[in-house]
Amino acid sequence: MGGDHGPHVTVPSAVEYALDDPEIDVILVGIPAAIEAELHALNKPLGTRIRMHAASEVVGMDEPPALALRNKKDSSMRVAINLVKSGEAQACISAGNTGALLATSRFVLKTIPGIDRPALAVVLPTITGHTYILDLGANVNCTAEHLLQFGMMGATLVASVENKKSPSIGLLNIGEEDIKGNEVVKQAAELLRESGLNFYGNIEGDDIYKGTTDVVVCDGFVGNVALKTSEGVAQMLATFLRQEFKRNFLTRFAGLVALPVINAFKRRVDHRQYNGASLLGLRGIVIKSHGSADKQAFSAAIKRAAEEVRGGMLRHISEHIAELQHHVKKNKLNSVTAE
Amino acid sequence: MGGDHGPHVTVPSAVEYALDDPEIDVILVGIPAAIEAELHALNKPLGTRIRMHAASEVVGMDEPPALALRNKKDSSMRVAINLVKSGEAQACISAGNTGALLATSRFVLKTIPGIDRPALAVVLPTITGHTYILDLGANVNCTAEHLLQFGMMGATLVASVENKKSPSIGLLNIGEEDIKGNEVVKQAAELLRESGLNFYGNIEGDDIYKGTTDVVVCDGFVGNVALKTSEGVAQMLATFLRQEFKRNFLTRFAGLVALPVINAFKRRVDHRQYNGASLLGLRGIVIKSHGSADKQAFSAAIKRAAEEVRGGMLRHISEHIAELQHHVKKNKLNSVTAE
């Protein structure tokens, strides 16, 4: 039900996705009348592949997460996450209130053993392809161990959905040298180096978009600022480019000639194709779509969920966290033996 | 002597600047033979307006700051900063090793009373004009008081060089609401709110480039990541645009037609015009130029120094910090009286 546009975007997007991908069945969760109205408009009856699950409440976009968690036990968000917990659904996709989705997912699904906190991960375009960055705001105060867990989860996500054997991990810092950064980052670098993961080392902000590593690890404060700053730069550059093409008759003509190129460029950097942040570390797959997502963007978020289910991501994270803990224990034993 | 290109860039840039701006005299500090060779090539003799001050050593770009500070007492960097301390120069501009410049400036010049730590500030373009952001990496661990001081220094910088009466200050956070962010940021928001400064409130990463506030305050870790990430996004978008225009014969033709527009766009976002980070909070004006600056970029850094000197920035910071301390004391007294 959520998102800025409500079921008017999510229902047609989900229905179309299900029609395109025969492996995926859709359960539409929310106020029945609202969902039925959308289905009626689409002329799509409910069936086995497109089902509905009623919920009587909706979490507001600005509602405090703690209140939503406490008071709205029958919200579409809560009911959808319950379906993941019961195994009736293999993933939940929501365009609703991020804080409420995080709090509710964590409360209902719990974290995977060995993971302290869930993290938000997204895909970003790079000069050479794309990269995964986490955390993006779920955790504003992180320890070195949290950053290590983010690295492991990010690497597992990439391995699962991209079928990449040993994804490289970069630690976002303010310089490449080991001595750079604050204490948490320095300790995290040590933990990552000893983790058995494919740790590239420290990277800087520009490395995100150079595609230096498959995974970029940072705390949620830094990640959120980096992401929003990126959006700001892109918007500013787009505005400037538009202004320059609209300056006078000649530049407008040039803009007309260059239009197919500009459009190809726009398609390439269209952020809708990157919509869908994964909540990693939970005992279930939950994808957060941007609140303002349109049909195409919401469809990208559903695709992300489908890829994580097909890639067996949950199982892989559980396995890898066990391996990691084993590795860390062995390392500790070794260092004891060496003393 | 510093920077990636050495005196081959800095000497001609400084000489040309002095010729363009009759109020500014230049003291070239460094190895005499190297400077004289550049002046000879320019066919500019030394005189009263372009002087030379010998230094026998040079700090390497990768030299550990502590070592440079301890061992190179006659480096061009140290000697130039000494000239600021003695009053012979009113500002020092360096394209050299950032860490060494920070450490040496702080050691030689000391901070202004009431300022705990110097901060690095730069100007960035925005959709509506430009904004000043600090800190950019001088301080990776900041307290709320440091962020308050950054706000005051940033506002004073803008007031001094832009002649703006009460510049607005935004606190970089991961949401606009007061409850967002980590403890340090929340406390800093309270301090800024009670400071008597024109505090706008929390802003997000995209607000930097929207030009929401005149000053953006953040700790050095976050600021450095935001700045480098911005560079990365801009480079990626430029690469994509270039690639789209080079795709085939037709797109190349479109590129040719659009070239004047693209060039106007490039000039508008040319980072060279924004070169020059101010080291704020010291008892002297020090400007850090990008190491890879060319003549035009280095000239922008000199201009920044000239503007700070002309705007009386040092005096203003001292005055404002005294006012701020007075204001904070009065507020504390008031709250005591109210109890």
Side-chain angles (χ1 to χ4, degrees):
Chain A
M1 295 299 293
D4 302 341
H5 311 300
H8 190 57
V9 158
T10 52
V11 170
S13 180
V15 168
E16 278 171 33
Y17 190 89
L19 295 178
D20 280 352
D21 187 341
E23 278 187 354
I24 302 295
D25 296 351
V26 164
I27 308 174
L28 303 164
V29 183
I31 313 280
I35 294 172
E36 278 160 359
E38 292 299 332
L39 289 171
H40 184 77
L42 289 167
N43 200 17
K44 292 277 175 249
L46 290 166
T48 48
R49 293 211 42 232
I50 300 168
R51 306 201 295 277
M52 187 171 72
H53 200 107
S56 62
E57 295 169 305
V58 176
V59 175
M61 288 302 268
D62 295 321
E63 200 164 335
L67 286 185
L69 187 59
R70 198 180 324 140
N71 300 332
K72 294 205 171 157
K73 302 258 159 78
D74 199 42
S75 70
S76 53
M77 188 185 276
R78 179 76 167 258
V79 172
I81 296 169
N82 285 340
L83 291 179
V84 173
K85 187 176 168 69
S86 70
E88 197 171 334
Q90 286 173 282
C92 159
I93 301 111
S94 168
N97 182 323
T98 311
L101 186 67
L102 269 164
T104 310
S105 304
R106 196 174 168 179
F107 178 78
V108 173
L109 296 173
K110 314 290 185 234
T111 52
I112 290 171
I115 298 289
D116 296 329
R117 298 175 178 198
L120 270 169
V122 290
V123 183
L124 291 175
T126 69
I127 290 180
T128 53
H130 55 263
T131 189
Y132 289 73
I133 177 167
L134 73 166
D135 173 48
L136 291 172
N139 308 284
V140 291
N141 293 305
C142 291
T143 64
E145 284 75 20
H146 294 143
L147 295 177
L148 169 65
Q149 290 170 14
F150 297 170
M152 190 281 301
M153 292 196 291
T156 310
L157 174 63
V158 177
S160 304
V161 303
E162 310 250 335
N163 219 353
K164 210 167 199 170
K165 212 159 177 207
S166 183
S168 57
I169 301 168
L171 182 63
L172 194 55
N173 202 335
I174 61 168
E176 285 170 20
E177 308 85 352
D178 292 347
I179 54 149
K180 290 279 175 125
N182 54 37
E183 278 314 309
V184 171
V185 170
K186 283 185 210 168
Q187 281 175 30
E190 270 182 53
L191 292 178
L192 282 161
R193 207 168 288 120
E194 293 162 4
S195 66
L197 293 163
N198 179 8
F199 180 51
Y200 173 89
N202 288 329
I203 59 168
E204 297 188 67
D206 51 343
D207 286 303
I208 302 172
Y209 295 97
K210 280 182 188 163
T212 305
T213 56
D214 298 314
V215 179
V216 176
V217 168
C218 55
D219 75 44
F221 194 99
V222 170
N224 189 285
V225 168
L227 189 73
K228 296 264 174 71
T229 302
S230 302
E231 288 172 13
V233 174
Q235 279 162 10
M236 178 184 72
L237 294 179
T239 304
F240 285 175
L241 197 59
R242 206 177 305 120
Q243 286 172 349
E244 291 304 329
F245 273 117
K246 286 193 173 168
R247 202 164 279 281
N248 58 43
F249 174 75
L250 276 175
T251 60
R252 276 176 198 271
F253 173 72
L256 217 60
V257 175
L259 195 63
V261 184
I262 300 291
N263 283 341
F265 169 71
K266 271 192 198 160
R267 276 193 299 278
R268 193 159 164 190
V269 294
D270 186 351
H271 58 82
R272 290 180 296 181
Q273 62 193 305
Y274 300 102
N275 183 43
S278 309
L279 268 72
L280 295 178
L282 297 165
R283 300 188 202 199
I285 291 172
V286 180
I287 303 289
K288 167 70 178 86
S289 157
H290 204 290
S292 67
D294 64 7
K295 278 200 315 187
Q296 192 191 329
F298 196 74
S299 167
I302 304 176
K303 189 173 171 226
R304 191 156 303 287
E307 283 173 352
E308 291 184 11
V309 174
R310 287 190 184 116
M313 196 200 57
L314 282 187
R315 184 170 42 84
H316 290 146
I317 289 193
S318 297
E319 285 168 6
H320 285 183
I321 198 84
E323 273 172 36
L324 194 68
Q325 285 174 326
H326 181 71
H327 185 91
V328 171
K329 248 185 227 155
K330 212 174 64 182
N331 258 7
K332 271 192 191 150
L333 279 178
N334 282 349
S335 64
V336 170
T337 323
E339 266 166 15
Chain B
M1 296 297 294
D4 302 340
H5 311 301
H8 190 58
V9 159
T10 53
V11 170
S13 180
V15 168
E16 278 171 32
Y17 191 89
L19 296 177
D20 279 351
D21 186 341
E23 279 186 354
I24 302 296
D25 296 351
V26 165
I27 309 174
L28 303 163
V29 183
I31 313 281
I35 294 172
E36 279 159 359
E38 291 299 332
L39 290 170
H40 185 77
L42 290 167
N43 200 18
K44 293 277 176 246
L46 290 165
T48 48
R49 295 210 40 234
I50 299 168
R51 306 200 296 277
M52 187 171 71
H53 201 108
S56 63
E57 294 169 306
V58 175
V59 176
M61 289 301 269
D62 294 321
E63 200 165 333
L67 285 185
L69 187 59
R70 198 179 325 140
N71 300 333
K72 294 204 171 156
K73 302 257 159 79
D74 200 42
S75 70
S76 52
M77 187 185 277
R78 179 77 166 257
V79 172
I81 297 168
N82 284 340
L83 292 178
V84 174
K85 186 174 169 70
S86 69
E88 198 173 332
Q90 287 174 281
C92 159
I93 301 109
S94 168
N97 181 321
T98 310
L101 186 67
L102 270 165
T104 310
S105 303
R106 195 173 169 181
F107 178 79
V108 173
L109 296 172
K110 314 288 184 237
T111 52
I112 290 171
I115 298 288
D116 296 329
R117 298 175 178 195
L120 270 169
V122 290
V123 184
L124 291 176
T126 69
I127 289 181
T128 53
H130 55 263
T131 190
Y132 290 74
I133 177 166
L134 72 166
D135 175 47
L136 291 171
N139 308 284
V140 290
N141 293 305
C142 290
T143 64
E145 284 76 20
H146 295 142
L147 295 176
L148 170 65
Q149 291 170 13
F150 296 169
M152 190 281 302
M153 293 196 289
T156 311
L157 174 64
V158 176
S160 304
V161 303
E162 311 249 334
N163 219 355
K164 208 165 202 174
K165 214 163 176 204
S166 184
S168 58
I169 301 168
L171 182 63
L172 195 54
N173 201 335
I174 61 168
E176 284 171 21
E177 308 85 351
D178 292 347
I179 52 149
K180 290 279 175 131
N182 55 37
E183 279 315 309
V184 170
V185 170
K186 283 184 209 168
Q187 280 176 29
E190 269 183 52
L191 293 178
L192 281 161
R193 208 167 287 121
E194 293 162 4
S195 67
L197 292 163
N198 179 9
F199 180 51
Y200 172 90
N202 288 330
I203 58 169
E204 298 187 68
D206 52 341
D207 286 303
I208 303 173
Y209 296 97
K210 279 182 189 163
T212 305
T213 56
D214 298 315
V215 179
V216 176
V217 169
C218 55
D219 75 42
F221 194 98
V222 170
N224 189 285
V225 168
L227 189 72
K228 297 262 174 73
T229 301
S230 303
E231 288 172 13
V233 174
Q235 278 162 10
M236 180 185 71
L237 294 179
T239 304
F240 285 176
L241 198 59
R242 207 178 304 120
Q243 285 172 350
E244 290 304 329
F245 273 117
K246 287 194 172 168
R247 202 163 279 282
N248 58 43
F249 174 75
L250 275 176
T251 60
R252 277 176 197 270
F253 173 72
L256 217 59
V257 175
L259 195 64
V261 184
I262 300 291
N263 283 341
F265 170 72
K266 272 193 197 161
R267 276 194 299 278
R268 193 158 165 192
V269 294
D270 186 351
H271 58 83
R272 289 180 297 181
Q273 62 193 305
Y274 299 102
N275 183 43
S278 308
L279 268 72
L280 295 178
L282 297 165
R283 298 188 203 199
I285 291 171
V286 180
I287 303 289
K288 167 69 177 86
S289 157
H290 204 290
S292 66
D294 63 7
K295 278 199 318 184
Q296 192 190 330
F298 196 74
S299 168
I302 303 175
K303 189 172 171 225
R304 191 155 305 286
E307 283 172 351
E308 292 184 10
V309 173
R310 286 191 185 115
M313 195 201 56
L314 282 187
R315 183 171 44 83
H316 290 146
I317 289 192
S318 297
E319 285 167 7
H320 286 184
I321 195 85
E323 273 172 35
L324 194 67
Q325 285 173 328
H326 181 71
H327 185 90
V328 171
K329 250 186 224 153
K330 212 175 63 183
N331 258 8
K332 272 192 190 150
L333 279 178
N334 283 348
S335 63
V336 169
T337 325
E339 268 166 15

